[in-house]
Structure formats: structure tokens, C-alpha cells
């Protein structure tokens, strides 16, 4: 609605500038705008000015927790949300809008708590859309009351206003569990309680986290309370739609509420520490902190000193808290475990939250201060994930990479940042392959050994909470941007062939001319080819070398191109005259000729080798003007994984049918590229919720699967069959049949389904309502077809359910046909069903 209005205003202003703002153009534009809005249901939402929930941005647009949540929710509806504002103070706005809601002048409001009195007056959906906590709010710049350090609080003076007196029993329980004491400072108003804290007459006051006043921070939180949307009691249709959509949204975006809470209500203030705690930290002396070498950029040793993200974190912690620390270096897991068990260290710098070290040494962990991801590394083409042959999160990544590079039977799950860092060392780990499909997060925490002081843990956690994402990214960037360094042994290994040929070349240069320099490059390339040949024997890859000047092709480990031949003279000519043993051989050699001619790599090509279809990739490197080497790489695993990911992305996980995204893509392609007609069927299971409520959600899932199998049986393989979500399905029939044939098909289908599937749920009165829409100039996209079929499906529901209705293009959704003078297909259908006006849906 808002977007359409802005576009219209801009359009009229543009016409005004051009001198063409005549009345006929304005009228036509308004009629077009009204036609667009007619396809959507307008939902009027009360919009009181509530900080964080519903307010206006600098440009006057609605913003806030409720606005963002509804924006996500409307992706599952055909709503056009219209926000309704009223004049007055915040309390006056709330009262006015609630009166309007009870009279039906608006449809819903948000950010409302549930109570017995409110539930009698308004309708509540099944799902809440957020949670509010009661908090002990202290001055933002006051460091004495450290969160989670309740044992050192002493007696807290808590200012309580009358509106918070009902929270005192919950505060009492919270104090008993947390181990602190408090005294109540009674105040007459909320503002008086806040001033008492700011003026030092009280230490804290009770507030709600979603409405915390400026200048405060939460020192403790308790008594969670959900908040809901409320609806007019008469809007049962809207309530049913909201329940369905909120359930779908919760399943699709389970972290949405926490993300919105962090965006609008989480305050990340600067870290502050009291002088008392700072002196206490200094009294601990120098803490011995364990770092593991070989895990750059997370933790490593550079020039004999600790380095990496972990060292940067402890340096920052030391500056802020006065904590003094001495790094202790361990080169492997056994050394680190020994140092911990012998009590030679106090802290461990970077411990993954699920590392074996936690259990072996009984460590207490802080909150995570850095998050990374994991990958599986191995020397084989296919990662061996058998736990017998796998090591996870090695204490020395670099050392383990060296082991993996030599042993194809092993694999390891390692930190992606450390792996990428060491893979920058050219030629050292060429045998290794990386599986990026693991996607398991690694949360690095500080490990506390022995009987760690709770106070120390609380201070470290408080510092970690103050760290923003930009600080964490900066720590990684600072330590990841360093150039990699090679040891002398690594340098000799990487450049072993260059060193050998360099010495040989230096000797030859004494006796040869410039011609020899050219031959030297060829000999070097042949030596490289020999090395690649040895590698090809290990990986079962076919290598080739081509001399443009001599038109000569040399093959190693060959069983694909001219099988069993190793040197082919006059290759280009022979390729044209050769009798090919298979179409795949002809295709592959054709690709090779094209590559050699165009000097370009080719994409994946499917070849039939020894009766087995395999994906290969032709790769070529030009090392001189008239010389090239290349290889034929088995790329089957990558192609199959990509195809598997595409299938997963396009399939509904429960039923195996197409999902909404795949259906929309398929219909778009069909409707744009084909002129053939089709019919769009929207199928909705009636009373499906009663199955879940009566027999449980597993029975509901079983019913959905049985229904999906029935769609596969009853409709053609060429038909599009999809589950949109919940109990809503779609079947699209290309090459649409006639209307009478369609009626016969749908009648038979409903009867068969009732007999085969729904008969098991007679107590729930389960049935199916179907809306059908033919493609036309009016309905020629997935969205317009869905709208027409949706209207037709509701007509079938109005007619008593367990039936179908074929759309005539009308979008009429009137609740009754009494006094309606329009003779339409919908009215005739309802009359035939014995209903003078549609029954209210429940």
C-alpha cells in the first residue's frame, strides 16, 4: 500500500514537470492503482507509538519489531497491511485503538500481553511473537553490579513503583536462586523509581527489557512473559489465517524472534569495570594462559611469541581489566593436556566449546568470543568421514595437514580459517581436498582450569558481551592478513624441482646459446609432465601434452583418448580420419580439439567410459607459444553433489513433492516458453487441524504423505505437483482438458480420496476442497493463477467443503449473496449446493 502510494506520487510529479498533468491521465492512473489493491485483502493494524515495537523512522515510515515481524508474516498471506494511527499520548492511543478494535474498525494490534479479562474481549492467536523479561535495571555507566556475579552483589536497593509490585514474588524467587539479597525502596511512580536509581537513592529499579529507559542496563533478568497480536472476536477467518501463517513462519525462520529482539531491544554498551574489580583482577597476579601452536590465524607462535585472534583478545582484555597474563605454548594436544593436569596453566586461550580437551581436563568455559566454521580435509577425492579414520579439531592444524597430505586413509574436521591460512603455502598441500559442506560452527571460548573464581568468569563474560561483531571481524582481519612464512625445510621442498633444474641450467648455459634456452624450457616442461604423470597414476587421471609445431599429442595413463596409444603424430589430421569406438570418445576428442584451437578450458562433459556414464572436465595449461599440457579430470563427485543440492532445494522434505520455490520456477518457465493452455488446481485439506489435535502431529504428517502419494497416483507424471506448506497443495495440468472432463476427473478424485484416505479420520470429518483456474490473458502467471484458484477454493469451502469449484475469473469474496443482483457462476454453484449464502468458515 505504502509502496504503491509513493510510486503514484512520483509518477504524478514527473508528469507535472513535463507539463502533461491532465485530468484524464490522473483518472486512469488511479483506476490502475485501485485494481492492483483489489487483489489483496487489506488488514488494518493499530499503530500506537511504542518505542521499539511501532514507531516512525526519520522519513516517516513505520518501523519497529512489530512492523518487521508483520513484513515477514505477509510473505505467507495475501494481506495488504494498513497501519492505523490516532492522536494523543501513548496511553490514550492504546485506549482509543483498543476501542476501535472491539468495534471492528481495525483488525488487530500487536505487543499485547494475555490476561483473562483481555481474552474475554479479544481473540488471541495460538502463537506468541516475542518474549519480554522483567529486569533489574542499573545505571548504564555503573560497574558495581556485574551481571551473573550475584554472589558478590551484597544487598541491592531495588526501587519499585506500583505498576511493578506484582513482580515482587518473582524477584523473591530469583534472589533465592541467584544468592543475593535486596531491599525494596517504594516509589509512587515509574519515573520516581528511575530517578531514585540515577540519583543514587536506589541501586536498581524494576523495568521491562522491551521498554528499558535510556541510561540503564540490565544487571539481571527474570520472569519471562510472552506478547501476542490481538484480533477482533468476529474475525475468526483472520485468526485462522494468522495461526496457519505464524506456524509456517516459525518453522521457516525459527530464529526470527531472537534476531528482531537483538535489533530493537538489545543494548550493547561499552565495557565498564569497577575500581574494586580492577584491583581484584590485579591481585590475581600474572595468569598463565595456554596457547596451542600451529592454528593461525586463531592461535599460533610467531618469532617465539603468541599470536592470533586469541592473543589479540587477551591483549584487549588486559587493557580493559588490568589482567596480567603470561603465554604458555603447547605444540600438540598431549603437551597441552599435561600442562593443564599438572596445574602449570590457569587459563586456556581458545577452546572450542565441544573439544575433547573440555572433558579430559574438566574445564569451565566462558561465553564464546569468536565463531568460525569447520571443513573436512583429506588427501582422497572423497572425504572419509568414518569416525575410526577421522580426527576432529586438532590442537595443531598445521601438523595434522602434513600428516593428511601423506595418508589418504585419514581425514579431519578442522577450522576453515586455519585450513585456508595454511593452504596459502603454495605446493605444500596440493594433495589435499576440502569438503565445505560440513557447516558446523566452532565457538571459541576461554577455558578456566581448576577451581576458577566465579567472579573472574563473570568479568570475562561481561567483557565478551561488550564486543560487537565489528570488533570480532577486526580481530580476524588483523591476524589473517599477515603473509604466510616458510621454514627453510618448506622452502627446499616447494622449490626442489626449480633448484635442481636451476643448477643444471646454470651448468648448461656455459656451453649453449640462446637456442638452448628454448630447449631448456621444453625439458623443464617435460620434467613437469613426468611429475604430473606420476601424480596421474595415483589419482587415475589421464594426462596429455601437445606440441603445436609438430602436431604431436602425447598421452599418459591413457584409457579414454585413443585408448592404449601414448604418442599420436599428426593429431589434428588423424582425429578427422580416426574410427571412433564410441560417441563419447568422439565428443571428448572434439572438445580437446576445440580447446587446443581456442586456447580455452571447457566445462563438464558427460562421457560413456566402459559402459559407465562419468562426468569429466578437460583442463589445459599453455606453457609456451607452441606447447601445452593438460589432464582429463573425473568431476563426477562434484557434479553429483551439485545435483543433489538442487534436488534438495526444490523438494518438500515431508512429502517428496515439489516445494513452493520449485513450483514457481517451473510454472514461470512453462508459461513464458510455452503457448499451451493449462489448469491450476489448489487443494486444501478441510479440518486438518482436528487430526493434529486428536491424533497428534505424527498422524497429521502421515496424512499429508498419504495425500501426496495419492496425487502422484491420480495425476500424470507430466503434471506439476507441489506442497505449498501446511495442508495446502497445488497440481498444475499442462495441456488443459475441457471443463466437463475436468469436473469428471475432480469428482472421481474426491470420491477415491474419501474412500482410500479420509475414511480413517471419520471422527475429524476430513475432506478436501479444490479450487481450479484455467490459464488466460488475465491469469497467466503463478501468482495470478494462485489468486483465482484460491478464491475458487474458498467458494468450494463456502459450499460445504469436500467439493471443487472452477473459477470463472471473479474475485468476489462476499460473505453472502442475499440481495446480490449479479448472476454469476459462484452464485449458481452455491444455490446448487443448497446454500443461499456462504456459511462462515471455522
Amino acid at each position: 500500500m505504502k509502496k504503491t502510494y509513493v510510486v503514484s506520487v512520483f509518477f504524478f510529479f514527473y508528469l507535472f514537470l513535463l507539463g502533461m498533468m491532465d485530468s484524464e491521465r490522473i483518472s486512469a492512473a488511479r483506476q490502475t492503482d485501485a485494481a492492483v489493491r483489489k487483489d489483496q485483502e487489506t488488514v488494518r493494524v493499530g499503530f500506537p507509538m511504542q518505542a521499539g515495537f511501532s514507531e516512525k523512522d526519520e522519513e516517516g515510515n513505520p518501523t519497529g519489531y512489530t512492523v518487521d515481524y508483520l513484513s515477514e508474516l505477509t510473505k505467507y498471506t495475501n494481506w495488504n497491511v494498513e497501519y492505523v494511527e490516532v492522536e494523543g499520548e501513548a496511553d490514550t492511543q492504546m485506549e482509543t485503538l483498543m476501542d476501535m478494535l472491539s468495534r471492528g474498525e481495525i483488525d488487530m494490534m500487536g505487543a499485547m500481553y494475555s490476561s483473562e479479562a483481555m481474552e474475554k474481549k479479544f481473540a488471541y492467536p495460538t502463537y506468541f511473537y516475542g518474549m519480554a523479561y522483567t529486569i533489574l535495571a542499573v545505571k548504564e555507566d555503573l560497574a558495581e553490579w556485574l551481571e551473573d556475579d550475584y554472589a558478590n552483589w551484597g544487598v541491592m536497593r531495588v526501587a519499585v513503583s506500583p505498576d511493578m509490585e506484582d513482580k515482587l514474588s518473582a524477584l523473591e524467587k530469583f534472589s533465592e536462586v541467584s544468592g543475593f539479597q535486596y531491599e525494596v525502596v517504594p516509589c509512587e511512580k515509574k519515573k520516581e523509581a528511575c530517578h531514585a536509581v540515577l540519583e543514587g537513592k536506589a541501586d536498581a529499579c524494576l523495568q521491562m527489557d522491551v521498554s528499558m529507559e535510556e541510561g540503564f542496563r540490565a544487571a539481571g533478568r527474570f520472569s519471562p512473559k510472552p506478547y501476542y497480536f490481538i484480533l477482533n472476536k468476529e474475525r475468526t477467518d483472520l485468526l485462522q489465517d494468522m495461526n496457519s501463517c505464524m506456524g509456517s513462519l516459525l518453522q521457516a525462520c525459527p530464529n526470527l524472534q531472537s534476531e528482531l529482539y537483538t535489533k530493537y531491544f538489545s543494548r550493547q554498551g561499552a565495557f565498564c569495570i569497577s575500581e574494586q574489580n580492577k584491583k581484584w583482577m590485579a591481585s590475581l597476579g600474572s595468569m598463565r594462559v595456554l596457547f596451542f601452536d600451529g592454528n593461525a590465524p586463531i592461535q599460533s607462535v610467531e618469532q617465539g611469541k603468541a599470536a592470533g585472534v586469541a592473543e589479540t583478545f587477551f591483549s584487549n582484555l588486559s587493557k580493559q581489566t588490568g589482567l596480567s597474563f603470561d603465554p604458555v605454548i603447547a605444540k600438540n594436544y598431549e603437551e597441552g593436556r599435561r600442562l593443564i593436569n599438572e596445574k602449570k596453566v590457569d587459563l586456556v586461550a581458545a577452546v572450542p566449546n565441544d573439544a575433547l580437551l573440555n572433558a579430559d581436563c574438566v574445564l569451565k568455559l566462558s561465553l564464546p568470543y569468536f565463531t568460525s566454521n569447520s571443513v573436512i580435509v583429506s588427501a582422497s577425492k572423497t572425504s572419509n568421514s568414518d569416525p575410526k579414520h577421522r580426527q576432529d579439531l586438532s590442537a595443531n592444524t598445521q601438523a595434522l595437514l602434513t600428516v593428511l597430505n601423506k595418508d589418504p586413509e585419514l581425514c579431519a574436521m578442522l577450522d576453515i580459517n586455519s585450513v585456508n591460512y595454511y593452504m596459502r603455502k603454495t605446493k605444500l598441500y596440493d594433495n589435499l581436498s576440502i569438503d565445505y559442506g560440513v557447516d558446523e560452527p566452532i565457538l571459541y571460548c576461554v577455558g578456566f582450569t581448576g577451581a576458577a573464581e566465579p567472579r573472574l568468569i563473570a568479568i570475562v563474560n561481561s567483557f565478551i558481551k561488550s564486543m560487537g561483531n565489528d570488533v570480532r571481524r577486526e580481530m580476524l582481519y588483523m591476524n589473517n592478513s599477515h603473509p604466510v612464512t616458510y621454514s627453510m625445510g618448506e622452502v627446499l621442498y616447494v622449490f626442489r624441482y626449480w633448484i635442481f633444474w636451476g643448477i643444471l641450467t646454470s651448468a648448461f648455459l656455459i656451453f649453449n646459446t640462446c637456442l638452448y634456452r628454448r630447449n631448456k624450457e621444453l625439458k623443464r616442461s617435460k620434467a613437469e609432465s613426468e611429475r604430473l604423470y606420476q601424480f596421474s597414476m595415483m589419482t587415475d587421471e589421464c594426462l596429455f601434452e601437445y606440441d603445436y609445431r609438430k602436431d604431436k599429442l602425447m598421452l599418459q595413463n591413457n584409457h579414454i583418448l585413443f585408448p592404449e596409444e601414448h604418442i599420436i603424430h599428426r593429431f589434428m589430421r588423424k582425429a578427422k580420419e580416426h574410427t571412433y569406438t564410441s560417441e563419447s570418445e568422439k565428443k571428448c576428442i572434439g572438445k580437446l580439439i576445440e580447446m587446443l584451437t581456442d586456447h580455452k578450458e571447457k566445462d563438464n562433459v558427460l562421457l560413456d567410459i566402459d559402459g559407465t556414464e562419468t562426468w569429466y572436465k578437460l583442463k589445459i595449461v599453455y606453457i609456451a607459444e607452441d606447447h601445452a599440457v593438460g589432464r582429463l579430470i573425473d568431476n563426477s563427485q562434484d557434479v553429483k553433489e551439485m545435483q543433489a543440492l538442487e534436488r534438495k532445494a526444490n523438494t518438500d522434505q515431508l512429502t517428496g513433492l515439489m516445494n513452493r520455490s520449485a513450483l514457481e520456477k517451473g510454472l514461470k518457465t512453462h508459461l513464458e516458453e510455452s503457448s499451451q493452455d493449462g489448469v491450476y488446481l489448489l487443494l486444501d485439506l478441510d479440518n486438518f487441524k482436528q487430526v493434529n489435535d486428536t491424533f497428534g502431529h505424527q498422524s497429521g504428517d502421515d496424512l499429508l504423505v498419504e495425500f501426496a502419494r495419492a496425487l502422484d497416483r491420480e495425476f500424470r507424471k507430466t503434471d506439476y505437483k507441489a506442497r505449498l506448506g501446511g495442508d495446502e497443495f497445488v497440481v498444475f495440468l499442462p495441456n488443459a482438458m475441457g471443463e466437463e472432463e475436468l469436473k469428471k476427473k475432480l469428482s472421481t478424485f474426491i470420491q477415491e480420496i474419501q474412500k482410500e484416505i479420509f475414511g480413517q479420520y471419520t471422527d475429524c470429518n476430513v475432506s478436501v476442497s479444490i479450487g481450479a483456474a484455467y490459464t488466460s490473458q488475465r491469469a497467466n502467471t503463478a501468482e495470478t493463477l494462485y489468486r483465482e484458484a484460491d478464491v475458487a477454493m474458498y467458494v468450494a469451502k463456502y459450499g460445504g467443503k469436500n467439493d471443487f469449484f472452477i473459477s470463472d475469473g471473479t474475485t468476489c469474496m462476499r460473505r453472502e449473496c442475499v440481495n446480490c443482483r449479479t448472476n454469476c457462476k459462484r452464485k449458481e454453484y452455491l444455490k446448487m449446493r443448497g446454500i443461499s449464502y456462504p456459511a462462515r468458515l471455522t
Side-chain angles (χ1 to χ4, degrees):
M1 177 80 178
K2 189 74 176 179
K3 181 180 179 182
T4 306
Y5 176 77
V6 172
V7 172
S8 300
V9 170
F10 178 79
F11 181 61
F12 295 148
F13 182 66
Y14 176 76
L15 294 179
F16 174 75
L17 294 177
L18 294 177
M20 300 187 302
M21 191 176 177
D22 55 87
S23 59
E24 292 183 1
R25 291 174 182 262
I26 295 175
S27 176
R30 287 176 178 171
Q31 291 175 4
T32 302
D33 189 47
V36 171
R37 288 195 290 260
K38 188 176 179 182
D39 291 337
Q40 294 182 311
E41 178 184 1
T42 299
V43 177
R44 298 157 301 174
V45 179
F47 195 81
M49 293 302 165
Q50 293 177 288
F53 282 107
S54 50
E55 47 193 345
K56 294 291 189 69
D57 61 15
E58 295 178 354
E59 299 178 356
N61 299 317
T63 185
Y65 187 108
T66 300
V67 174
D68 285 6
Y69 186 89
L70 284 175
S71 177
E72 292 296 323
L73 189 65
T74 52
K75 295 177 182 179
Y76 299 84
T77 69
N78 65 336
W79 297 351
N80 176 38
V81 176
E82 179 182 317
Y83 294 105
V84 179
E85 303 175 35
V86 293
E87 300 292 335
E89 298 294 330
D91 292 342
T92 303
Q93 292 181 20
M94 293 292 293
E95 293 176 3
T96 303
L97 289 170
M98 289 174 68
D99 288 340
M100 293 173 66
L101 180 60
S102 63
R103 294 194 301 268
E105 296 176 11
I106 60 175
D107 300 309
M108 70 170 70
M109 285 180 63
M112 304 299 292
Y113 298 121
S114 175
S115 67
E116 185 176 349
M118 289 288 287
E119 289 182 0
K120 290 181 180 179
K121 191 173 181 180
F122 301 103
Y124 280 76
T126 304
Y127 303 93
F128 59 83
Y129 76 105
M131 191 77 73
Y133 288 82
T134 305
I135 60 171
L136 288 168
V138 300
K139 287 179 65 176
E140 188 174 25
D141 58 353
L142 191 65
E144 277 73 12
W145 307 102
L146 191 63
E147 189 171 2
D148 297 330
D149 188 27
Y150 306 118
N152 293 302
W153 274 15
V155 180
M156 172 181 274
R157 298 170 299 165
V158 181
V160 180
S161 56
D163 61 318
M164 284 292 180
E165 289 180 351
D166 60 330
K167 306 295 184 182
L168 288 176
S169 60
L171 175 61
E172 179 68 25
K173 294 179 181 178
F174 178 60
S175 67
E176 291 177 2
V177 172
S178 302
F180 70 92
Q181 296 179 342
Y182 68 94
E183 294 177 354
V184 174
V185 179
C187 298
E188 294 184 359
K189 295 182 179 179
K190 180 180 178 180
K191 288 186 177 180
E192 183 181 340
C194 293
H195 284 305
V197 176
L198 297 176
E199 294 171 1
K201 297 177 182 178
D203 301 311
C205 62
L206 294 182
Q207 297 186 31
M208 300 301 294
D209 60 344
V210 294
S211 57
M212 184 165 55
E213 298 289 338
E214 291 292 332
F216 288 85
R217 65 175 176 84
R221 60 189 71 229
F222 59 96
S223 186
K225 188 174 184 179
Y227 42 87
Y228 300 82
F229 290 102
I230 58 173
L231 291 78
N232 182 280
K233 278 279 189 181
E234 301 299 321
R235 291 303 307 270
T236 55
D237 58 326
L238 186 61
L239 179 63
Q240 182 183 12
D241 197 13
M242 173 163 274
N243 279 331
S244 174
C245 295
M246 290 183 76
S248 299
L249 179 59
L250 180 62
Q251 184 178 8
C253 305
N255 297 322
L256 177 62
Q257 294 182 19
S258 62
E259 291 171 0
L260 293 180
Y261 180 91
T262 301
K263 179 179 179 181
Y264 289 103
F265 301 122
S266 179
R267 293 186 185 175
Q268 188 175 303
F271 174 72
C272 57
I273 182 172
S274 66
E275 288 300 322
Q276 180 183 1
N277 281 334
K278 221 169 188 180
K279 290 179 181 178
W280 180 83
M281 291 286 279
S283 70
L284 296 176
S286 185
M287 305 292 287
R288 299 163 299 177
V289 181
L290 177 63
F291 292 82
F292 285 94
D293 189 17
N295 300 285
I298 308 302
Q299 53 180 338
S300 61
V301 176
E302 294 181 4
Q303 298 178 353
K305 297 181 180 179
V309 171
E311 195 280 333
T312 303
F313 169 80
F314 269 90
S315 295
N316 294 338
L317 178 67
S318 178
K319 293 177 184 177
Q320 294 289 333
T321 65
L323 175 71
S324 176
F325 73 97
D326 290 326
V328 179
I329 308 300
K331 295 188 176 298
N332 53 56
Y333 179 83
E334 291 300 330
E335 183 181 356
R337 185 174 65 173
R338 178 180 56 79
L339 289 170
I340 295 172
N341 291 335
E342 293 178 359
K343 299 182 180 179
K344 293 184 177 180
V345 294
D346 305 304
L347 303 175
V348 184
V351 186
N353 63 324
D354 57 351
L356 182 62
L357 190 67
N358 302 336
D360 283 355
C361 300
V362 192
L363 299 176
K364 295 180 181 178
L365 300 182
S366 70
L367 296 174
Y369 65 85
F370 183 75
T371 302
S372 185
N373 284 306
S374 56
V375 293
I376 290 182
V377 183
S378 68
S380 59
K381 294 179 182 178
T382 304
S383 296
N384 181 6
S385 59
D386 186 349
K388 296 179 181 179
H389 301 279
R390 188 171 114 180
Q391 301 182 34
D392 291 346
L393 299 176
S394 171
N396 191 318
T397 301
Q398 185 177 18
L400 185 55
L401 288 176
T402 303
V403 174
L404 293 173
N405 199 44
K406 300 175 182 178
D407 190 346
E409 296 298 322
L410 290 178
C411 70
M413 186 171 72
L414 302 172
D415 185 291
I416 187 173
N417 288 300
S418 294
V419 171
N420 288 341
Y421 182 89
Y422 291 113
M423 291 296 284
R424 287 157 57 187
K425 294 192 173 185
T426 308
K427 302 294 184 182
L428 276 183
Y429 306 111
D430 288 352
N431 290 345
L432 296 179
S433 63
I434 304 175
D435 180 3
Y436 290 93
V438 182
D439 196 25
E440 292 186 14
I442 304 173
L443 308 178
Y444 288 100
C445 312
V446 177
F448 299 86
T449 65
E453 287 280 351
R455 192 174 186 179
L456 175 61
I457 299 175
I459 293 173
V460 173
N461 282 339
S462 178
F463 176 73
I464 293 172
K465 288 179 183 177
S466 70
M467 294 172 58
N469 290 331
D470 54 341
V471 175
R472 301 169 199 256
R473 286 192 295 266
E474 180 66 19
M475 288 195 306
L476 178 63
Y477 174 77
M478 287 173 52
N479 293 282
N480 206 22
S481 58
H482 298 164
V484 294
T485 58
Y486 293 81
S487 66
M488 182 57 67
E490 289 174 339
V491 171
L492 293 175
Y493 177 81
V494 171
F495 295 103
R496 61 193 183 280
Y497 296 112
W498 293 95
I499 293 172
F500 171 76
W501 287 111
I503 295 173
L504 186 61
T505 301
S506 298
F508 278 17
L509 284 175
I510 300 174
F511 307 100
N512 288 280
T513 61
C514 294
L515 180 62
Y516 175 74
R517 295 178 182 178
R518 175 183 178 83
N519 293 334
K520 178 198 67 174
E521 291 181 1
L522 293 178
K523 288 182 179 181
R524 184 181 301 170
S525 68
K526 291 179 180 179
E528 182 70 14
S529 177
E530 176 65 18
R531 186 182 73 82
L532 292 177
Y533 166 70
Q534 298 297 333
F535 180 75
S536 74
M537 298 301 292
M538 294 172 60
T539 59
D540 196 29
E541 292 179 357
C542 174
L543 302 182
F544 58 89
E545 182 177 357
Y546 182 68
D547 188 326
Y548 284 87
R549 185 170 53 85
K550 298 180 180 180
D551 190 22
K552 181 174 69 173
L553 181 69
M554 292 169 286
L555 298 160
Q556 304 288 359
N557 193 24
N558 177 38
H559 56 277
I560 299 173
L561 307 174
F562 297 104
E564 305 307 324
E565 295 191 41
H566 298 288
I567 298 179
I568 303 174
H569 298 281
R570 296 185 300 168
F571 167 69
M572 293 292 187
R573 178 177 177 182
K574 187 173 182 179
K576 297 178 181 179
E577 302 171 352
H578 178 65
T579 302
Y580 295 99
T581 58
S582 67
E583 186 64 28
S584 293
E585 182 188 0
K586 181 178 180 180
K587 183 192 299 184
C588 188
I589 292 178
K591 289 284 186 181
L592 178 59
I593 294 174
E594 189 177 346
M595 286 174 62
L596 294 173
T597 304
D598 299 341
H599 287 225
K600 294 180 180 179
E601 284 189 6
K602 294 300 174 186
D603 296 329
N604 298 328
V605 56
L606 182 63
L607 303 179
D608 185 358
I609 308 301
D610 297 331
T612 303
E613 287 189 344
T614 307
W615 286 99
Y616 287 90
K617 184 174 183 178
L618 286 167
K619 196 163 188 176
I620 191 168
V621 177
Y622 300 93
I623 60 176
E625 292 182 358
D626 57 359
H627 206 75
V629 294
R631 58 179 176 166
L632 192 62
I633 306 168
D634 184 350
N635 201 32
S636 300
Q637 185 65 26
D638 292 340
V639 173
K640 290 177 181 178
E641 289 177 358
M642 181 176 66
Q643 292 173 343
L645 287 174
E646 290 179 354
R647 285 195 299 271
K648 184 175 181 181
N650 294 326
T651 303
D652 177 62
Q653 298 302 307
L654 177 63
T655 62
L657 300 178
M658 299 169 70
N659 58 22
R660 180 188 289 270
S661 175
L663 174 67
E664 291 177 350
K665 291 178 184 176
L667 286 183
K668 182 178 180 181
T669 301
H670 175 81
L671 295 172
E672 289 179 354
E673 298 180 359
S674 174
S675 61
Q676 299 171 346
D677 294 333
V679 59
Y680 187 104
L681 305 180
L682 180 61
L683 305 93
D684 186 86
L685 301 185
D686 306 316
N687 304 319
F688 174 75
K689 184 177 182 297
Q690 294 185 22
V691 176
N692 283 336
D693 294 344
T694 305
F695 300 103
H697 289 275
Q698 183 59 52
S699 295
D701 289 347
D702 293 341
L703 173 56
L704 295 175
V705 172
E706 288 182 47
F707 188 75
R709 298 290 77 78
L711 292 179
D712 277 330
R713 291 194 307 270
E714 298 295 330
F715 291 90
R716 301 168 299 190
K717 290 184 178 180
T718 56
D719 297 336
Y720 295 78
K721 296 177 279 290
R723 177 182 175 223
L724 299 185
D727 57 349
E728 198 172 51
F729 295 79
V730 165
V731 177
F732 180 79
L733 311 174
N735 304 320
M737 59 186 70
E739 186 167 325
E740 291 301 320
E741 184 181 359
L742 178 62
K743 288 180 179 180
K744 183 178 179 181
K745 173 70 176 177
L746 295 181
S747 296
T748 303
F749 173 74
I750 291 174
Q751 293 172 7
E752 293 294 327
I753 292 301
Q754 192 68 38
K755 183 191 307 179
E756 295 177 5
I757 300 177
F758 297 155
Q760 306 172 44
Y761 306 94
T762 54
D763 293 340
C764 299
N765 197 23
V766 180
S767 59
V768 61
S769 295
I770 305 174
Y774 280 86
T775 56
S776 62
Q777 292 183 349
R778 177 186 62 258
N780 55 10
T781 66
E783 182 179 0
T784 53
L785 284 168
Y786 175 86
R787 290 177 184 170
E788 284 201 7
D790 186 54
V791 172
M793 184 267 289
Y794 272 95
V795 173
K797 285 183 177 289
Y798 296 159
K801 305 180 180 179
N802 198 31
D803 200 6
F804 63 90
F805 180 74
I806 302 175
S807 173
D808 59 353
T810 181
T811 58
C812 176
M813 290 293 289
R814 294 181 56 176
R815 287 288 178 185
E816 53 187 42
C817 297
V818 177
N819 299 325
C820 178
R821 299 181 179 180
T822 302
N823 291 322
C824 65
K825 183 177 180 181
R826 173 179 178 271
K827 187 174 182 180
E828 293 175 0
Y829 169 84
L830 294 175
K831 184 177 180 181
M832 180 187 69
R833 296 282 287 179
I835 298 174
S836 58
Y837 60 88
R840 184 173 301 281
L841 289 176
T842 58

